[in-house]
Amino acid sequence: MIKQQLSGKETRMEGKWRFVLIRGVLFWGGTMFIAMAFIKKPFAGGFFTAQAITHCVVWPLLGLLYGMLCWRFSEKPYQNALNESDRESA
């Protein structure tokens, strides 16, 4: 538990938007962008088709949403763990 708290503390020190951009947009959105590019082949007709442009917009936006949701749902357990450790040390 202490290891997780330290990791959470370091993550929060780096900031919400850094977390969202790196873990959400780059890691999740980027992975989905590449995976779906191989599966759906949106660039087969060129880079400026509606399908290609949609692909380039949708996955980064969904990555942004994913990162924000991950931050939000990890914040409450982190705060609870901090409060619990504060009560134990007092």
Side-chain angles (χ1 to χ4, degrees):
M1 185 66 147
I2 292 182
K3 205 177 211 184
Q4 289 175 336
Q5 287 177 342
L6 290 175
S7 174
K9 185 177 182 179
E10 291 170 4
T11 299
R12 274 146 187 84
M13 285 178 65
E14 290 177 358
K16 176 182 178 178
W17 292 110
R18 179 177 169 87
F19 175 86
V20 168
L21 288 174
I22 291 176
R23 296 212 180 156
V25 177
L26 286 179
F27 288 154
W28 191 84
T31 300
M32 291 303 295
F33 179 90
I34 292 167
M36 288 303 181
F38 283 109
I39 294 169
K40 297 277 188 176
K41 306 212 184 315
F43 303 108
F47 289 103
F48 298 104
T49 63
Q51 187 179 13
I53 292 170
T54 301
H55 182 81
C56 291
V57 171
V58 166
W59 292 115
L61 285 178
L62 287 176
L64 184 72
L65 178 64
Y66 176 80
M68 290 172 70
L69 287 173
C70 285
W71 180 272
R72 176 153 164 70
F73 288 119
S74 68
E75 186 66 19
K76 188 172 182 179
Y78 174 74
Q79 291 300 326
N80 288 342
L82 278 181
N83 291 337
E84 186 177 302
S85 68
D86 287 345
R87 277 185 254 137
E88 288 174 1
S89 65

